[in-house]
Amino acid sequence: MQLNSKIPEGRLEEKWRNYQFKSKLINPANKKKLNIIVVGAGLAGAGAAATLGELGYNVQCFCYQDSARRAHSVAAQGGINAAKNYQHDGDSVMRMFYDALKGGDFRSREANTYRLAELSAPLIDHFVQQGVPFAREYGGVLANRSFGGVQVQRTFYARGQTGQQLLLAAYSQLYKMVRAKKVEMIARHEMLDLVVIDGKAKGIIARDLVSGEIKRYAADAVVLATGGYSRVFRLSTLAIGCNGSAIWKAHKRGAFFAAPSFTQIHPTALPQTSEAQSKLTLMSESLRNDGRIWVPKKKGDVRKANDIPEGERDYYLERRYPSFGNLAPRDISSRAAKERIDAGHGVGNLKNAVYLDFKHAIERLGIETIRDRYGNLFDMYKKITGINAYEQPMMISPAAHFSMGGLWVDYELMTTIPGLYAIGECNYADHGANRLGANSLLQASIDGYFILPNTINNYLADEIKLEKPSIEHPEFDKVEQETKEHIQKILSIKGNKTVDDFHRELGKVMWQECAMSRNRSGLEKAIIEIENIKEDFWTQVKVTGGDKELNTELEKALRLADFIDLAILMCKDALQREESCGAHFREEYQTPDGEALRDDENFAYVSAWEYNGGDFKLHKEDLVFETIQPSVRSYK
């Protein structure tokens, strides 16, 4: 299959405008005849469902939580980027585009990345009009701060609650449409499979998580907005319920999976404290604006942080990356922390953390300024750890976080299955091999509010002439039966190990061999170990309860079965990419001073995997750089 990215003609600055002008339109009367399913109600899903409903389409929006307000977008803390140049510090759309392209180590499409920057400024205006309480300067203008990987201030924020405030705005727009009966909100339902008829996405099979009933839903197009898959590592910053099952089911039905091994390790999470822990807590990257990261120069130093004098502290990011210092990008900051921890300079009970210190910022700015900027984050840290970070340093550690990989999509955000779209974190589009901080909320919002509503018309304009999809179609019978058999197969095993036992095993393998650094022998070993985990899972797992009831163990088992298969693909993807780029660090390919060594001649492509009955087949989308030529990604 030939991948067609559908990049519009014209200069980079003209592509989106050219696309909009030449795309097909649907008159309002005809939009009422078209049905769209949106799976997911986070920032991308809620924005898309609300906007599509406002445009006149009939929309059904699904979420597995009891309310769209519980979507994981709520957890994003630090901010959202936009090229407004309020600071007059040299920012521009082109500068933001360059930062994002370079931050992703030149492994994303120029056209998509430029559009991300281009639509950032109007998005801030959009949210202000919705009432988002962004931080403001004394005179009333919107405030900005910096995030990693840039040297300007372009991040808009609402204290440490930016994701929550943006989600509440999207939620209010969504429920405005629910109340107007233009969107039907279907909560506590999980998509279990995709229905493809004559090669096109025409519906989903979902399970009512309260009653266990399996249901059919038909539509003219399906939009997936189901977030990332970093829970494959088990311990991550994601909520326990976050999973990759929807996009994995779509992958098995024909949607190509792009760059699955590109997963981000966030440098500022709370460190793991015990084997029993089920998730990790994120501390916003915004803390690195004023906090300084260091470790003791002496290996195995057991003194309290405040007892270690300045001369015996190693501010390693400032030492290694003087141009960016503590605001070096996430992949580089995480690997630098791992290097110091592995070298014996880690701190905390398990020696698996580094310090994030606000002493100098408090001395320079005053405690009230720091409290105003980060107060809720300091409160959260104290509630979890019992430590007052105004008086002694926080302890932080790298943790699995964002997924740059996801379903392959073209410029229109359509997957390789016609009529199936993927938006937000569950697609591979804008971030390349590494996402810069505060671009996550940006991409999710732009995909949902601005891009999808302008591109889905191009497909639906022709669908309106065709026969309407029906849940009575034989393909719905077939997929529903397969779903029920899959559930019964898991319930019938009656083994002696819990789902969590298997997830813990999988997470350890993935964290060791396919996280911050990888190598050939480790990846080859990981594939064998995961295959063994898979075999044991299907013979030894014990899932209590039944399928006709609320059963969280069954939910976890179904998701873990998908995670196991996804983990194999992640390792295969990392194995075939014989270079280091962004979050993908192959130990065999590095510079003499330990930095990533990219190979543009052989690997300047997006890896797009076809399921192929479980025997994954690689397709390549070659990346062409017309505006900015790839350069050595240095932050020194």
Side-chain angles (χ1 to χ4, degrees):
M1 176 181 177
Q2 186 69 32
L3 292 170
N4 179 10
S5 57
K6 300 179 189 173
I7 297 174
E9 61 188 27
R11 294 169 55 242
L12 192 62
E13 299 88 338
E14 299 169 348
K15 290 184 184 296
W16 179 235
R17 190 163 60 248
N18 289 344
Y19 173 85
Q20 288 177 291
F21 177 70
K22 293 182 179 179
S23 63
K24 300 171 185 175
L25 298 178
I26 303 173
N27 75 54
N30 283 336
K31 285 177 182 173
K32 297 174 184 176
K33 303 173 185 176
L34 292 163
N35 301 315
I36 301 172
I37 285 172
V38 177
V39 184
L43 207 45
T51 307
L52 293 169
E54 189 93 56
L55 288 171
Y57 294 109
N58 301 305
V59 181
Q60 289 178 308
C61 184
F62 294 79
C63 70
Y64 64 74
Q65 301 95 340
D66 54 355
S67 166
R69 287 181 62 174
R70 294 177 64 85
H72 194 57
S73 302
V74 77
Q77 300 164 339
I80 178 170
N81 286 335
K84 284 283 198 180
N85 196 30
Y86 282 167
Q87 314 297 324
H88 300 288
D89 53 2
D91 201 10
S92 65
V93 169
M94 184 59 73
R95 172 80 64 181
M96 183 174 172
F97 156 63
Y98 172 74
D99 285 342
L101 193 69
K102 174 187 173 185
D105 228 346
F106 301 94
R107 290 295 175 262
S108 61
R109 272 189 222 123
E110 273 193 341
N112 286 68
T113 306
Y114 184 85
R115 182 172 60 182
L116 180 78
E118 179 185 9
L119 296 177
S120 65
L123 182 70
I124 297 300
D125 298 334
H126 184 73
F127 276 130
V128 169
Q129 289 169 335
Q130 288 185 358
V132 172
F134 287 119
R136 294 178 181 266
E137 303 289 359
Y138 179 76
V141 297
L142 296 178
N144 289 130
R145 58 189 177 199
S146 295
F147 256 59
V150 304
Q151 291 179 306
V152 298
Q153 296 183 70
R154 68 163 67 104
T155 304
F156 294 77
Y157 62 98
R159 271 197 160 182
Q161 307 171 354
T162 314
Q164 181 182 24
Q165 297 302 327
L166 298 188
L167 183 66
L168 287 173
Y171 173 83
S172 68
Q173 298 303 304
L174 173 62
Y175 271 79
K176 173 184 169 186
M177 290 298 101
V178 170
R179 205 150 171 177
K181 301 193 184 309
K182 295 181 179 180
V183 175
E184 180 186 2
M185 190 69 217
I186 304 172
R188 302 298 287 145
H189 282 65
E190 182 164 20
M191 171 184 161
L192 294 186
D193 215 332
L194 178 75
V195 179
V196 180
I197 300 174
D198 298 328
K200 297 178 180 179
K202 290 297 180 183
I204 66 170
I205 301 297
R207 180 173 182 266
D208 183 326
L209 295 180
V210 177
S211 69
E213 183 183 357
I214 303 298
K215 301 178 182 179
R216 309 173 179 188
Y217 297 90
D220 297 285
V222 177
V223 179
L224 301 183
T226 52
Y229 51 85
S230 284
R231 277 279 295 166
V232 70
F233 296 97
R234 195 180 77 90
L235 284 176
S236 78
T237 64
L238 274 62
I240 298 296
C242 292
N243 64 87
S245 285
I247 57 174
W248 191 253
K249 295 300 194 223
H251 174 55
K252 293 178 77 171
R253 293 291 174 190
F256 286 9
F257 208 118
S261 66
F262 287 171
T263 52
Q264 184 169 78
I265 309 300
H266 199 292
T268 54
L270 299 191
Q272 182 182 1
T273 57
S274 77
E275 280 289 315
Q277 210 165 325
S278 57
K279 80 172 296 294
L280 299 171
T281 301
L282 175 69
M283 298 302 294
S284 170
E285 181 180 308
S286 62
L287 293 168
R288 294 199 280 150
N289 269 282
D290 291 305
R292 299 179 71 192
I293 295 173
W294 63 275
V295 292
K297 288 183 178 179
K298 177 184 173 184
K299 289 185 179 181
D301 199 325
V302 295
R303 289 176 292 176
K304 293 181 179 179
N306 290 342
D307 293 337
I308 301 175
E310 280 294 317
E312 297 179 35
R313 300 180 178 193
D314 178 14
Y315 294 92
Y316 59 88
L317 287 177
E318 297 172 30
R319 169 172 56 83
R320 291 183 60 177
Y321 309 101
S323 290
F324 285 75
N326 296 295
L327 286 173
R330 292 177 176 179
D331 59 323
I332 287 172
S333 300
S334 292
R335 283 198 299 273
K338 180 179 185 294
E339 186 275 328
R340 289 290 80 196
I341 291 168
D342 290 349
H345 298 272
V347 299
N349 291 337
L350 300 181
K351 301 298 181 186
N352 62 344
V354 299
Y355 287 125
L356 177 60
D357 198 340
F358 286 84
K359 182 180 78 169
H360 296 100
I362 291 172
E363 290 173 353
R364 187 178 74 254
L365 302 170
I367 194 169
E368 287 306 318
T369 299
I370 298 302
R371 183 174 282 119
D372 183 58
R373 291 177 179 176
Y374 314 108
N376 61 312
L377 296 171
F378 277 62
D379 292 344
M380 182 174 74
Y381 185 82
K382 186 173 183 180
K383 188 175 289 186
I384 294 170
T385 67
I387 296 172
N388 184 343
Y390 295 108
E391 297 176 356
Q392 52 185 300
M394 293 181 179
M395 283 185 285
I396 58 169
S397 183
H401 182 54
F402 187 87
S403 310
M404 282 80 67
L407 293 185
W408 183 92
V409 292
D410 58 26
Y411 191 75
E412 297 182 310
L413 306 185
M414 188 190 286
T415 69
T416 49
I417 299 176
L420 177 68
Y421 294 80
I423 61 176
E425 191 180 351
C426 73
N427 73 21
Y428 177 87
D430 300 345
H431 306 299
N434 176 60
R435 175 179 66 81
L436 292 185
N439 274 352
S440 173
L441 293 176
L442 174 65
Q443 184 217 347
S445 302
I446 283 176
D447 282 2
Y449 281 120
F450 291 170
I451 300 176
L452 181 79
N454 278 286
T455 62
I456 201 168
N457 312 329
N458 239 7
Y459 172 77
L460 291 176
D462 294 327
E463 291 303 297
I464 199 165
K465 307 164 191 172
L466 305 178
E467 184 180 348
K468 303 298 291 179
S470 166
I471 60 172
E472 305 305 322
H473 191 283
E475 193 63 24
F476 275 92
D477 294 335
K478 174 176 171 288
V479 177
E480 181 181 331
Q481 185 58 35
E482 289 173 357
T483 301
K484 290 179 176 178
E485 288 173 0
H486 182 64
I487 291 172
Q488 290 306 317
K489 182 179 179 183
I490 284 183
L491 288 173
S492 67
I493 295 171
K494 307 295 185 186
N496 53 20
K497 291 175 69 175
T498 68
V499 177
D500 288 329
D501 288 335
F502 285 106
H503 203 167
R504 197 172 286 111
E505 290 178 28
L506 178 67
K508 284 180 178 178
V509 173
M510 291 300 290
W511 183 252
Q512 184 65 34
E513 308 297 351
C514 197
M516 268 182 288
S517 61
R518 302 99 185 257
N519 59 61
R520 173 169 289 278
S521 61
L523 289 166
E524 289 174 342
K525 182 179 74 170
I527 291 171
I528 295 170
E529 289 179 349
I530 298 167
E531 293 279 11
N532 290 336
I533 291 171
K534 179 177 180 178
E535 184 178 340
D536 287 347
F537 175 85
W538 286 106
T539 56
Q540 297 298 324
V541 74
K542 180 180 180 65
V543 179
T544 55
D547 62 328
K548 300 294 191 294
E549 60 183 341
L550 176 65
N551 189 341
T552 54
E553 284 300 303
L554 176 59
E555 292 172 37
K556 288 194 296 184
L558 292 170
R559 295 165 187 168
L560 183 59
D562 297 328
F563 274 144
I564 292 171
D565 287 339
L566 171 57
I568 294 171
L569 179 58
M570 288 172 67
C571 292
K572 289 190 174 183
D573 185 56
L575 192 59
Q576 66 83 31
R577 187 169 285 276
E578 296 180 332
E579 65 164 352
S580 290
C581 60
H584 169 68
F585 189 79
R586 281 285 297 268
E587 294 169 3
E588 305 96 321
Y589 308 100
Q590 55 182 299
T591 63
D593 57 348
E595 302 299 333
L597 186 61
R598 216 176 54 232
D599 181 355
D600 293 328
E601 184 177 347
N602 296 304
F603 292 96
Y605 61 77
V606 178
S607 57
W609 294 88
E610 181 181 357
Y611 183 67
N612 195 35
D615 184 19
F616 305 109
K617 181 179 179 182
L618 175 63
H619 300 259
K620 299 176 182 179
E621 179 200 346
D622 291 328
L623 294 170
V624 179
F625 300 97
E626 299 176 354
T627 306
I628 295 177
Q629 293 305 307
S631 58
V632 175
R633 182 173 172 246
S634 174
Y635 293 90
K636 295 190 174 184

